[in-house]
Structures are given as structure tokens and as C-alpha cells.
């Protein structure tokens, strides 16, 4: 069974700083997808960034980028120039190709301080 | 483009009762999944429907059931509610390909007293 581990329950940084959230996963699959979701107090899970395992190039979306290390089964999220609106729970998620079930990590509560 | 709509937003029920939650996916999305979120267990997969067929089911008791209608709207039902069923229930829709990711609704907060 696949598992996703986020080792940082909470993180706190100052506005405009760069922060990196860690995620490791365990799978025997070769084709899969990885995601970072953000859940603000409004409760809605918002897709931040996605990565296809077969692509070596790290995904980037504006201030958000990932460091995908397939051999190490690591998928960290870097937020540059952090903003107050980035304050939220962040979840790392995994899904095998052809599957219908997302496997989530336990989440990291990120606080951006003014 | 309307997002995923879940109703109701909040619900309070008594132990032993049953409850039905509703989810309307994004137009054109045929896959609807349900997740339970609790502080202790995190996010857990309940089930997934595609074209009115359940394709996958998580490890939940039979009290948890769901269905999908021809317009892709989905409902989940929990019978004989227990205190431990108190949770945020999230619905997600997709085009039926995980590489697009899943779009989530804002959830239904169920409290069982």
C-alpha cells in the first residue's frame, strides 16, 4: 500500500521569506502523480501544483515549485516570497496511474507572519 | 465556471440517525470521489464513482454508502450515525484522469451528538 509522510506538523516563517515543506512517499509503482494541496480556513482543498512521475523536470507554478527526487521518493514544495495568504494547511498527495484514490499525508500547518 | 458544490455546509445529527450529503461536480466531470477528514485520521478515501458506477471503495463500514446520478451529481449516505462519524466530508471531481488533479468542494461539516 502506498503511504505519504509529511514530517513537519507545523512551520512558521516571516512574510517574503522562502519556505520548503517536505514530503516523502512509499510505492512500488513506476507511474504515478504527486500533488500539493492547500487547505485554508475556508476548508476548500486547492490544488497548488502537480508532478507526473515520468517527467524529470520539476513542476513550477509562479511562486511555487517542487523538488521531485524519484529515486529518493521525495517531493518537497518550495514557496518563494511567501505571502500572508499562503497561511494554510498543506497536504502532499499521491495517486497511481489509472487509480481513483488519492493518498494524503498528514499535512503541514504553515503560518506566514507579518 | 462553477466549482464543486457541496450541500449542506453544516449538519448536526443525533446518534443513530442517518444523513445524506450532496455533491455537484464541475460541469463535464464524470468522476466524483468522497473523502472523510478528521484530526486524528487525516484524509481518508471513502469511494469513487464514474458514470453511476462505484469503481473504488475505501475501508469504511457498510453504513457508508453512495451513489451517482446520470447528471454526475453524487450523494453519500451514512446510516446509524456514531459519534466517531463527526468529520469534514469532502467531495472531489475530475475528468477521470489523475494527471489533471482533483477539484474539491468546501465540504460538509457533520457533527454527531
Amino acid at each position: 500500500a502506498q503511504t505519504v509522510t509529511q514530517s513537519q506538523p507545523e512551520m512558521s516563517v516571516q512574510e517574503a521569506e522562502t519556505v520548503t515543506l517536505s514530503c516523502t512517499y512509499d510505492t512500488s509503482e513506476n507511474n504515478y502523480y504527486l500533488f500539493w494541496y492547500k487547505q485554508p480556513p475556508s476548508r476548500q482543498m486547492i490544488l497548488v501544483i502537480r508532478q507526473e512521475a515520468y517527467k524529470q523536470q520539476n513542476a513550477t507554478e509562479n511562486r511555487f515549485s517542487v523538488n521531485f527526487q524519484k529515486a529518493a521518493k521525495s517531493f518537497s514544495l518550495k514557496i518563494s516570497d511567501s505571502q500572508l495568504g499562503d497561511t494554510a494547511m498543506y497536504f502532499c498527495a499521491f495517486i497511481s496511474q489509472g487509480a481513483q484514490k488519492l493518498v494524503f499525508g498528514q499535512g503541514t500547518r504553515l503560518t506566514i507572519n507579518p | 465556471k462553477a466549482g464543486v458544490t457541496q450541500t449542506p455546509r453544516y449538519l448536526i445529527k443525533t446518534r443513530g440517525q442517518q444523513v445524506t450529503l450532496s455533491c455537484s461536480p464541475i460541469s463535464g466531470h464524470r468522476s466524483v470521489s468522497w473523502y472523510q477528514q478528521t484530526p486524528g485520521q487525516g484524509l481518508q478515501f471513502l469511494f469513487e464513482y464514474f458514470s453511476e458506477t462505484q469503481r473504488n471503495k475505501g475501508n469504511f463500514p457498510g453504513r457508508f454508502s453512495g451513489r451517482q446520478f446520470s447528471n454526475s451529481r453524487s450523494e453519500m449516505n451514512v446510516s446509524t450515525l456514531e459519534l466517531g462519524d463527526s468529520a469534514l466530508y469532502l467531495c472531489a471531481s475530475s475528468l477521470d484522469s489523475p494527471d489533471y488533479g482533483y477539484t474539491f468542494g468546501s465540504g460538509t461539516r457533520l457533527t454527531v451528538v
Side-chain angles (χ1 to χ4, degrees):
Chain A
Q2 292 93 357
T3 58
V4 177
T5 302
Q6 293 179 247
S7 58
Q8 305 148 313
E10 293 189 35
M11 295 188 73
S12 178
V13 298
Q14 296 299 118
E15 193 176 6
E17 289 185 345
T18 295
V19 59
T20 299
L21 308 183
S22 300
C23 172
T24 57
Y25 58 94
D26 186 26
T27 183
S28 58
E29 305 278 345
N30 193 47
N31 296 317
Y32 51 87
Y33 303 87
L34 294 160
F35 306 92
W36 278 98
Y37 279 93
K38 166 186 176 180
Q39 187 178 40
S42 66
R43 305 180 334 200
Q44 184 174 12
M45 299 279 280
I46 301 166
L47 179 63
V48 175
I49 200 165
R50 67 176 187 266
Q51 174 79 45
E52 297 91 336
Y54 60 86
K55 288 187 177 179
Q56 291 188 337
Q57 185 173 5
N58 290 324
T60 300
E61 288 287 342
N62 301 314
R63 298 183 295 108
F64 299 89
S65 60
V66 298
N67 182 4
F68 173 50
Q69 302 289 329
K70 191 173 183 179
K73 296 180 182 174
S74 171
F75 183 61
S76 61
L77 174 70
K78 185 172 84 170
I79 306 175
S80 303
D81 186 27
S82 58
Q83 301 174 358
L84 297 179
D86 295 333
T87 293
M89 282 291 290
Y90 285 80
F91 292 94
C92 178
F94 167 102
I95 190 167
S96 299
Q97 187 175 30
Q100 302 90 32
K101 168 186 171 182
L102 278 165
V103 178
F104 287 90
Q106 287 297 101
T108 296
R109 184 178 302 280
L110 176 64
T111 302
I112 309 298
N113 300 305
Chain B
K1 190 175 185 182
V4 178
T5 303
Q6 290 189 247
T7 57
R9 288 267 292 173
Y10 300 91
L11 207 49
I12 299 176
K13 289 288 187 178
T14 304
R15 267 184 305 175
Q17 288 186 313
Q18 76 166 21
V19 67
T20 299
L21 312 182
S22 179
C23 172
S24 293
I26 288 174
S27 178
H29 285 192
R30 295 166 66 188
S31 169
V32 175
S33 307
W34 289 88
Y35 291 82
Q36 181 195 65
Q37 185 176 20
T38 60
Q41 298 299 316
L43 284 145
Q44 294 187 289
F45 172 78
L46 280 156
F47 28 65
E48 188 264 1
Y49 288 87
F50 180 82
S51 292
E52 303 179 65
T53 300
Q54 185 183 88
R55 295 193 298 185
N56 205 339
K57 188 177 190 305
N59 295 323
F60 279 83
R63 300 185 296 107
F64 291 81
S65 62
R67 60 177 175 168
Q68 186 180 35
F69 301 95
S70 58
N71 61 358
S72 293
R73 189 177 72 85
S74 178
E75 289 181 347
M76 69 162 281
N77 183 78
V78 188
S79 62
T80 319
L81 284 166
E82 301 176 359
L83 295 178
D85 297 332
S86 294
L88 179 66
Y89 290 88
L90 291 164
C91 166
S93 74
S94 80
L95 286 167
D96 185 35
S97 178
D99 58 341
Y100 289 102
Y102 290 79
T103 303
F104 282 81
S106 295
T108 294
R109 171 78 66 188
L110 171 65
T111 302
V112 182
V113 298

